[in-house]
Amino acid sequence: MAASFQFHEIDRYLRKTLDKKRYTHTLGVANTAACLAMRYSSDVNKAYLAGLLHDNAKCISTKKKMAICQKAGLSISKIEEKNPELLHSKVGSYLAKQKFHIEDSDILNAICYHTTGRPNMSLLEKIIFVADYMEPNRKIIPGLDQIRSMAFQNLDNALLLILENTLSYIKKKDRETDIDPMTQKTYDYYKKGSK
Ligand code: DGI
Ligand code: FE
Ligand code: FE
């Protein structure tokens, strides 16, 4: 299990590699994930650790992210090539293992799928996905209050509301073609489950 020295070491790395805004967001996600873990009887330390690490690759340049993928043999889809910000999740998952020796596959998957989600997510994956969207430092957007209160009542419903918002946001930006098929699959899966 994650010991506090590990949190400390990761915190030092994040302070160094993330910009201020991203670092603040990261602490918000870690704390929110811990709260959701308390609510849903999930491992609180694990949720905090996954929250701390979820955006660890966010401030790495596109060029470097691509290079890391190539070196590590991680595939880059067409949509990721066109929208390279999507790569921070899988690169972050890889670096969590390489740099911090995280072996827990649930934590690694929670990092890897925190942007698009995926069908049939584990409880920890859902917690990180939702915490990322609702943490206290996020810019207030319509529907966020409802999502925040829903997150503590029904996690799957909160997940669905977030996916709805994300998909309509991407479509509004006139980038319909840029929807990652995984985001759509996640939405379809949880939409079907909600009926
Ligand atoms: O890294 P964060 O900003 O904390 O949050 P995130 O990892 O969820 O990334 C958010 C961004 O990802 C947001 O601008 C929307 C974008 N995104 C989510 N799903 C998709 C997507 N972008 C594209 N192009 N396609 C998607 O399916
Ligand atoms: Fe992210
Ligand atoms: Fe994030």
Side-chain angles (χ1 to χ4, degrees), residues 144-183:
L144 188 56
D145 284 345
Q146 190 201 357
I147 288 169
R148 282 175 171 161
S149 87
M150 183 56 78
F152 288 94
Q153 294 164 52
N154 184 319
L155 198 57
D156 282 8
N157 278 355
L159 198 71
L160 191 57
L161 289 171
I162 293 168
L163 287 159
E164 258 161 19
N165 275 3
T166 300
L167 285 174
S168 77
Y169 169 78
I170 299 169
K171 284 176 190 164
K172 242 204 301 237
K173 275 171 59 182
D174 212 16
R175 288 168 59 187
E176 189 144 9
T177 49
D178 282 344
I179 290 170
D180 190 310
M182 189 61 98
T183 309

Side-chain angles (χ1 to χ4, degrees), residues 23-37:
Y23 176 73
T24 307
H25 161 70
T26 293
L27 293 187
V29 174
N31 283 307
T32 305
C35 292
L36 289 172

